[in-house]
Amino acid sequence: MSGVFGVYSKDKSVNIAEKIYYGLYALQHRGQQSAGIAVRDKDLIEWHKDKGLVPEVFKSQDLDKLPGDAGIGHVRYSSSGDVSKGNIEPLVLKYISGYMAIAKNGNIINANHLRGKLEADGCMFHTANDTEVLAALLTKFRISSEHIEDSVEQMVKYIQGSYSIVMITPRFLIGLRDPLGIMPLCIGKINGATYVISSESAAIDAVDGEFIRDVEPGELVLIDSDGIQSRRLFDCKKSSLCIFEHVYFARPDSIVDGVSTHDARVNAGRILAKEHPVQADVVIGIPDGGTDMAYGFAQESNIVAPAGLLRNKYVGRAFIAPNQNAREIAVKIKFNPVKTEVKDKRVVLIDDSIVRGTTTKTLVRMLREAGAKEVHLRIGSPPYKYPCYFGVDTSSRGQLLASKNDKEAICEWIGADSLEYISYEGIIKAPVNSKVDFCTSCFTGVYPVDIPKEF
């Protein structure tokens, strides 16, 4: 997963780059490897991007060099291409109608096939990023299209996978969401004259914006001085929002496709307590993903839920660290048990998921070393058994603990006294009153689109 953010304003006093900076800061949880901002200033696009966290990449003098009336930003978690500087988004290019910048959250699963065909036609690529394939298609179709929206409509006929895209062209700020709505995208407004497109509503809140609505699956949104234009590029009869938005990825204060992520996680905890009760003294959630679930579990069980694990707020998400060694180091410095809350206690430890198991195993050991008598592990999602090809870096079953181990073997390896997962039916019910369906392929192995054989 990555995060995208775009701003357009008719108000010349609005500092576009500063708004994007704060929007990206609010989306930092979606990607920590690099950050970038591109801003349109009349007929040109200026940009600044680099490896690192948002406050590391941008200083005030960098933002001062990015004036303009529209811009986009990106925080990157690499699922396609490495983290070399050339792959950092937004990508900026010159095409037949001027300059364009593009940034994406998601994964184009047929990008290699498309790249090969484009190269055979004489197209040259400078990065390993699948977003450059989208840019190449757009520039190709723009030659024969009167308007950029026609080029986008041509492009989406060829691409497969998940995507939420933001773009700036000489006229528009553009937002585009894949036909199944696998990746989230929403629209906001600031003081009547400034529009925002964001991966999550929490980032709109961060810039004092008002949430308007979600971008619908298969919808193209174009924003200019005339306001918002919308074009439906697909006849979408079914949606497949990534269930992990509510399980792990989205901020708890975000509203994703009409559902509060906080409420979905609390409800998952309640369901988990009903399905798998346990005699215990304290319920402890692993911050941050398990915190809301632990709150729901404790409510349903009438067990106290102290802050039994403290999280070092200066350490990022261990799961989206780029390699296994980095994940293990991150876990060791990220958490510390509060000994007075766990010593001589029967602990229910709540986490949102077990993917590779590194974090969970280490934390169970740390709780025992802190004096916990028992550690019962409860997981707020079903076993993660199958690779994700749509934006999460789990493209091999060999990386997934539950793909080749049953519950008992995992429990023994982790070192817990017991292990239980929420049921599939339970996690689907957790986002109460959801009007969308979910992609649950990581639990079931049933994918919403055909996966190329190369995977």
Side-chain angles (χ1 to χ4, degrees):
M1 299 291 174
S2 299
V4 296
F5 196 81
V7 179
Y8 167 81
S9 184
K10 291 189 292 185
D11 184 349
K12 302 300 182 184
S13 67
V14 173
N15 187 324
I16 296 293
E18 185 178 80
K19 292 291 185 187
I20 298 172
Y21 172 85
Y22 288 119
L24 294 182
Y25 217 144
L27 296 173
Q28 186 75 86
H29 59 287
R30 299 189 71 89
Q32 301 165 357
Q33 295 172 353
S34 66
I37 294 175
V39 177
R40 180 184 69 196
D41 184 20
K42 298 178 181 177
D43 295 328
L44 298 176
I45 293 178
E46 301 290 344
W47 72 92
H48 181 83
K49 54 187 180 178
D50 208 340
K51 296 180 182 181
L53 302 176
V54 172
E56 296 170 342
V57 171
F58 300 103
K59 307 303 178 187
S60 58
Q61 58 267 31
D62 300 317
L63 300 179
D64 291 341
K65 296 176 183 177
L66 299 174
D69 66 340
I72 59 173
H74 187 265
V75 287
R76 180 170 174 80
Y77 155 56
S78 176
S79 60
S80 176
D82 61 27
V83 292
S84 65
K85 197 166 183 177
N87 284 321
I88 299 173
E89 299 179 35
L91 300 183
V92 179
L93 62 149
K94 190 177 188 302
Y95 70 122
I96 192 170
S97 296
Y99 286 91
M100 172 184 11
I102 181 170
K104 170 185 61 62
N105 170 32
N107 200 34
I108 307 304
I109 60 175
N110 65 332
N112 288 341
H113 172 71
L114 293 172
R115 183 186 293 261
K117 294 188 70 173
L118 288 164
E119 286 176 334
D121 290 339
C123 184
M124 297 177 63
F125 289 91
H126 303 282
T127 77
N129 192 336
D130 59 352
T131 303
E132 190 179 11
V133 175
L134 304 183
L137 286 171
L138 280 172
T139 56
K140 175 182 178 179
F141 294 127
R142 190 69 181 91
I143 295 172
S144 58
S145 301
E146 185 176 357
H147 303 291
I148 185 64
E149 53 267 41
D150 300 323
S151 306
V152 174
E153 189 163 3
Q154 284 289 101
M155 176 192 72
V156 298
K157 294 176 182 178
Y158 289 83
I159 61 176
Q160 300 169 5
S162 63
Y163 50 88
S164 284
I165 296 170
V166 290
M167 299 167 50
I168 43 174
T169 67
R171 178 179 174 184
F172 293 112
L173 167 66
I174 294 175
L176 174 65
R177 193 174 181 191
D178 67 72
L180 290 173
I182 298 172
M183 297 290 118
L185 196 65
C186 58
I187 309 169
K189 199 170 186 179
I190 308 171
N191 297 330
T194 303
Y195 290 93
V196 178
I197 300 176
S198 175
S199 287
E200 294 184 34
S201 64
I204 296 174
D205 297 336
V207 295
D208 293 324
E210 175 188 359
F211 174 83
I212 297 176
R213 66 176 179 85
D214 293 289
V215 177
E216 297 294 326
E219 182 183 11
L220 171 66
V221 173
L222 305 108
I223 300 174
D224 64 0
S225 58
D226 295 326
I228 299 176
Q229 302 176 46
S230 172
R231 182 185 289 195
R232 295 298 181 90
L233 303 185
F234 298 90
D235 182 17
C236 303
K237 295 181 171 62
K238 184 180 179 181
S239 59
S240 292
L241 173 69
C242 173
I243 190 67
F244 255 69
E245 291 294 339
H246 287 307
V247 171
Y248 177 81
F249 280 111
R251 274 176 47 158
D253 52 337
S254 283
I255 308 295
V256 181
D257 281 338
V259 174
S260 162
T261 298
H262 166 79
D263 291 350
R265 291 174 185 167
V266 171
N267 200 38
R270 291 195 184 104
I271 294 169
L272 187 56
K274 291 176 182 176
E275 292 182 344
H276 302 292
V278 60
Q279 294 294 317
D281 302 305
V282 293
V283 176
I284 294 175
I286 299 178
D288 289 318
T291 302
D292 291 337
M293 293 177 179
Y295 177 70
F297 193 101
Q299 278 189 328
E300 188 65 34
S301 305
N302 289 318
I303 303 174
V304 296
L309 272 176
L310 290 187
R311 179 181 183 274
N312 183 338
K313 61 184 177 181
Y314 300 105
V315 180
R317 286 186 163 184
F319 170 70
I320 60 175
N323 58 62
Q324 186 64 19
N325 183 56
R327 293 182 194 105
E328 292 175 1
I329 294 172
V331 172
K332 292 176 183 177
I333 64 174
K334 183 175 181 179
F335 299 107
N336 200 36
V338 180
K339 294 181 175 62
T340 55
E341 297 290 0
V342 302
K343 184 175 174 56
D344 298 325
K345 304 281 181 64
R346 297 169 298 173
V347 176
V348 183
L349 184 63
I350 308 291
D351 204 0
D352 50 69
S353 59
I354 299 177
V355 181
R356 299 175 177 92
T358 304
T359 299
T360 313
K361 180 184 176 77
T362 304
L363 289 176
V364 169
R365 187 186 71 243
M366 290 168 65
L367 287 170
R368 292 200 185 280
E369 291 172 351
K373 288 198 302 185
E374 300 174 10
V375 180
H376 300 275
L377 190 58
R378 296 294 181 267
I379 304 299
S381 62
Y384 196 124
K385 294 183 176 181
Y386 300 94
C388 175
Y389 302 106
F390 303 115
V392 183
D393 189 17
T394 56
S395 57
S396 167
R397 291 190 69 176
Q399 299 174 323
L400 308 174
L401 191 61
S403 71
K404 53 187 178 182
N405 297 282
D406 60 20
K407 184 176 65 177
E408 289 71 25
I410 294 172
C411 183
E412 181 178 356
W413 181 77
I414 286 174
D417 291 280
S418 69
L419 166 64
E420 298 291 350
Y421 298 86
I422 194 172
S423 67
Y424 180 83
E425 294 75 18
I427 196 60
I428 295 301
K429 290 191 299 184
V432 179
N433 298 323
S434 174
K435 294 182 172 60
V436 303
D437 297 318
F438 296 100
C439 176
T440 58
S441 55
C442 54
F443 308 141
T444 65
V446 178
Y447 296 93
V449 298
D450 292 335
I451 304 301
K453 290 182 180 180
E454 66 188 83
F455 287 101

